[in-house]
Amino acid sequence: MDRKLIAQEYFVLATDVNGNMPVMRKDESNAGRVAAGVMDLLLNGIITMERKKIAVRKALPGEFGCMISLYEYLNEKPRTINKLMSDYLVSTSRRINQLKTAIGESI
């Protein structure tokens, strides 16, 4: 079996057999998904983090297709990790739902 992205592995671990997240830990699970996506991009040199700022350094490879919404968000301008989490978890559910759907469909 090929190793999946961290975000894909986290998705499998955080959801039930129907792809639903437990209601009791929804916020923590969503934060974990965003953090896993950032780690995938960071570990593969697609983004860098310097002094709490996240910046895109290279194009998104094809095997990271499920991360396109996160990548495009980060590519708009350098952001802090606090701003990223706030925008994904507090402001609207659109961003987190796009990421969640893309990861789920990629599995």
Side-chain angles (χ1 to χ4, degrees):
M1 182 173 128
D2 291 332
R3 178 172 167 81
K4 294 179 176 16
L5 299 173
I6 296 168
Q8 291 171 325
E9 291 178 8
Y10 184 84
F11 183 91
V12 170
L13 293 172
T15 56
D16 63 17
V17 294
N18 298 322
N20 299 316
M21 250 194 290
V23 178
M24 297 287 288
R25 300 286 183 207
K26 188 174 182 178
D27 290 338
E28 291 89 347
S29 295
N30 283 336
R33 284 190 181 144
V34 174
V38 169
M39 288 305 300
D40 280 324
L41 298 176
L42 192 60
L43 291 172
N44 289 282
I46 299 165
I47 63 171
T48 59
M49 189 182 299
E50 295 178 21
R51 295 186 184 209
K52 299 183 183 182
K53 288 277 187 183
I54 303 170
V56 172
R57 292 295 174 223
K58 65 180 185 179
L60 190 68
E63 64 267 18
F64 288 84
C66 63
M67 298 289 165
I68 190 71
S69 64
L70 179 60
Y71 175 82
E72 288 174 345
Y73 168 81
L74 293 172
N75 200 29
E76 290 173 6
K77 63 182 181 180
R79 311 216 187 231
T80 64
I81 195 71
N82 288 340
K83 178 69 173 154
L84 166 74
M85 291 305 229
S86 170
D87 286 351
Y88 265 82
L89 303 175
V90 178
S91 61
T92 67
S93 60
R94 182 183 59 84
R95 284 190 179 103
I96 193 66
N97 286 339
Q98 283 179 330
L99 183 62
K100 179 175 62 172
T101 301
I103 294 169
E105 289 175 352
S106 72
I107 296 176

